[in-house]
Amino acid sequence: MTITSYFAKDLFLGQTVFITGGSSGINLGIARNFAAVGANLGIVGRSPEKLDAATAELQALGAQVSAHSADVRDYMALETAMQRCREELGPMQTLVCGAAGNFPCPAEQITPNGFKSVMDIDLLGTFHACRAAFEQLKETRGNILFISAGQAFMPYAFQAHVGAAKAGIDQMMRNLALEWGRFGIRCNSIAPGPIEGTEGVRRLVPKDSAGPLKKTIPLGRFGTPDDIGQLSVFLASPLASYITGTLVVADGGQNLSGSGVWTQLIMAEMAKAKSERLLGL
Ligand code: NAP
Ligand code: COA
């Protein structure tokens, strides 16, 4: 099944969608789905190699691409990237705030700079993107998609930094929905569950734990980047024109059963890694 089985190929024809962190993983999946329905893409990330590869992939789908190496923690760099994108592709209709960083770490071991790095990339970086995009979105009466996570509303062990950042993102989303509705700007969050083949799963799902974890998910599987891409296109489209200030959880029901199983799995993995280190293995 592809998105164009259900949505018109020209739903976003000629419109500009700007995605922070759009060079890989879930965010690249979102970009691919927008490209399939006619959008042009602005993408930022830090690695030029990843940006080049993503650009080629999106161009092969027929999209024009404006790619920029920038760190979302650097407001001026992000503003410049958005301005260049506007010059190349026209004002943005949709902003996707997807850039994020994550590593599992017991709270008592997270250094202040480790905590700050995640807050700065996820929360401050998201504010930077929204603030820098505001004038363009006001002009197009566009919309913003915030990429959240289950950690925002469910405590997961070793994710104190990420939970704080993603919960902050969702509350900022509600604030901006409230304040910017009068400009016609809609704001919504998406909380993906574990998405197959992504860096997030590589970092957070211990080796050999994917099977037991999938058994705890009511729909019995991890998600795909297309699951999140298709939802993104819907939320950004006129089909969702009365939806704002909402968090949509796309996790196959994973969070319904809490974080207990995952916590046990990752605690066992961290304990194993620690004992292997102590044994010099
Ligand atoms: P990913 O491929 O590593 O995506 C993160 C992207 O953000 C990368 O393109 C990365 O590129 C970019 N990025 C990171 N730090 C940046 C910075 N300081 N400035 C600019 N760009 C930066 O990981 P993913 O797993 O697909 O995650 C994508 C999003 O989904 C994240 O918001 C994550 O929290 C969320 N999420 C993921 C899962 C999952 O199962 N994977 C579940 C729930 C939520 P560079 O490193 O080149 O900068
Ligand atoms: N465990 C504990 N602390 C860690 C860590 C880990 N696995 N990885 C990084 N840190 C700490 C570092 O020690 C450092 O703190 P310190 O200066 O007190 O030692 C701090 O985090 C910043 O590290 P640095 O490597 O300088 O960060 P960065 O800004 O270059 O990168 C990260 C940010 C750490 C989030 C990095 O993992 C990243 O770039 N991630 C992007 C991709 C990603 O996470 N994708 C998944 C999304 S769900």
Side-chain angles (χ1 to χ4, degrees):
M1 185 194 76
T2 61
I3 192 163
T4 48
S5 311
Y6 295 94
F7 289 166
K9 284 193 178 69
D10 61 355
L11 187 62
F12 277 80
L13 190 65
Q15 293 187 18
T16 303
V17 176
F18 191 97
I19 306 181
T20 69
S23 58
S24 61
I26 294 176
N27 302 315
L28 179 55
I30 294 171
R32 279 197 301 269
N33 277 274
F34 275 109
V37 292
N40 296 320
L41 277 311
I43 53 174
V44 295
R46 293 164 300 174
S47 155
E49 294 76 24
K50 281 169 62 179
L51 287 165
D52 286 347
T55 299
E57 196 174 328
L58 296 169
Q59 284 173 337
L61 294 170
Q64 291 178 53
V65 181
S66 178
H68 305 276
S69 175
D71 193 315
V72 293
R73 290 170 284 195
D74 179 347
Y75 180 78
M76 287 313 295
L78 196 53
E79 193 181 61
T80 302
M82 287 185 183
Q83 192 49 40
R84 294 228 176 96
C85 178
R86 183 201 169 101
E87 286 157 16
E88 291 170 21
L89 305 178
M92 82 177 81
Q93 182 71 31
T94 297
L95 167 68
V96 181
C97 302
N102 195 345
F103 51 82
C105 187
E108 70 278 10
Q109 292 171 27
I110 304 175
T111 65
N113 192 41
F115 194 91
K116 183 176 183 304
S117 297
V118 169
M119 293 299 283
D120 283 356
I121 298 170
D122 293 28
L123 183 54
L124 185 61
T126 293
F127 176 72
H128 282 167
C130 295
R131 178 70 181 82
F134 173 71
E135 288 300 335
Q136 294 191 44
L137 293 169
K138 184 177 162 196
E139 189 178 328
T140 60
R141 298 179 74 77
N143 67 93
I144 308 174
L145 297 175
F146 298 75
I147 305 304
S148 181
Q151 290 92 319
F153 54 86
M154 178 72 66
Y156 280 73
F158 311 146
Q159 292 283 274
H161 46 335
V162 174
K166 293 292 193 183
I169 286 172
D170 288 342
Q171 191 61 357
M172 178 164 54
M173 175 277 291
R174 295 181 191 99
N175 260 99
L176 298 186
L178 188 72
E179 290 191 38
W180 292 355
R182 69 187 193 279
F183 302 113
I185 299 173
R186 295 186 298 110
C187 300
N188 293 291
S189 286
I190 295 173
I195 302 299
E196 202 87 63
T198 60
E199 184 62 26
V201 162
R202 272 189 289 280
R203 290 181 182 222
L204 297 178
V205 178
K207 270 193 289 224
D208 307 325
S209 294
L213 199 56
K214 280 177 193 172
K215 287 195 184 130
T216 70
I217 300 177
L219 292 184
R221 66 171 177 90
F222 285 175
T224 66
D226 281 342
D227 286 326
I228 307 306
Q230 290 155 6
L231 172 61
S232 301
V233 169
F234 164 72
L235 282 175
S237 79
L239 296 167
S241 61
Y242 203 49
I243 301 177
T244 194
T246 298
L247 166 68
V248 181
V249 180
D251 69 348
Q254 188 218 353
N255 284 287
L256 297 174
S257 58
S259 60
V261 171
W262 181 84
T263 296
Q264 282 171 7
L265 291 168
I266 196 149
M267 279 186 167
E269 170 77 7
M270 302 275 273
K272 188 169 147 234
K274 192 175 172 193
S275 55
E276 283 177 358
R277 262 200 313 278
L278 289 173
L279 292 169
L281 297 174

